[in-house]
Amino acid sequence: MAYKPVVFVHGFIGHASDWDILRAALSKSHPGQLTFATTADSSMSSLHPLPRLTEDTWLELKSIIANNSAVFADGFHLVGHSQGGLVSRAVMMSHQLNVEN
């Protein structure tokens, strides 16, 4: 079974490493599933206004998708924690994305 990739967006004053434990658990329970954690606006940069956070996250997400286009062709899962959920929602509303969940 091919699992759809998962992209994680950290919360306020967060970092990509906040997702390390969950990414490791997914890797163990779903071998072969690709996971990505965004690094845009980590730590104190998460204090930027929402339009900037949205654009920075979009640019990183666009790069992740472009560099892995075959895996993202059938959609992907987007998971945001706290402020990352708001940023993820803003990205989805601003750009045409094939987000499954």
Side-chain angles (χ1 to χ4, degrees):
M1 168 189 289
Y3 296 105
K4 294 183 181 191
V6 182
V7 178
F8 296 99
V9 182
H10 63 78
F12 182 69
I13 310 180
H15 192 270
S17 62
D18 295 347
W19 299 103
D20 287 353
I21 292 172
L22 182 55
R23 290 177 72 198
L26 275 177
S27 178
K28 186 176 180 180
S29 63
H30 298 141
Q33 182 171 31
L34 294 178
T35 62
F36 304 87
T38 61
T39 59
D41 298 308
S42 296
S43 301
M44 296 307 287
S45 294
S46 65
L47 295 169
H48 291 138
L50 182 60
R52 163 105 184 254
L53 297 173
T54 302
E55 183 63 17
D56 292 349
T57 301
W58 162 242
L59 291 173
E60 184 174 0
L61 184 56
K62 186 167 90 170
S63 175
I64 291 169
I65 293 169
N67 291 328
N68 302 279
S69 57
V71 211
F72 280 83
D74 291 328
F76 66 101
H77 304 289
L78 185 60
V79 178
H81 173 257
S82 192
Q83 179 175 291
L86 177 64
V87 171
S88 296
R89 176 68 180 236
V91 169
M92 287 189 305
M93 292 178 69
S94 303
H95 303 280
Q96 197 76 9
L97 294 171
N98 190 6
V99 176
E100 180 79 17
N101 290 306

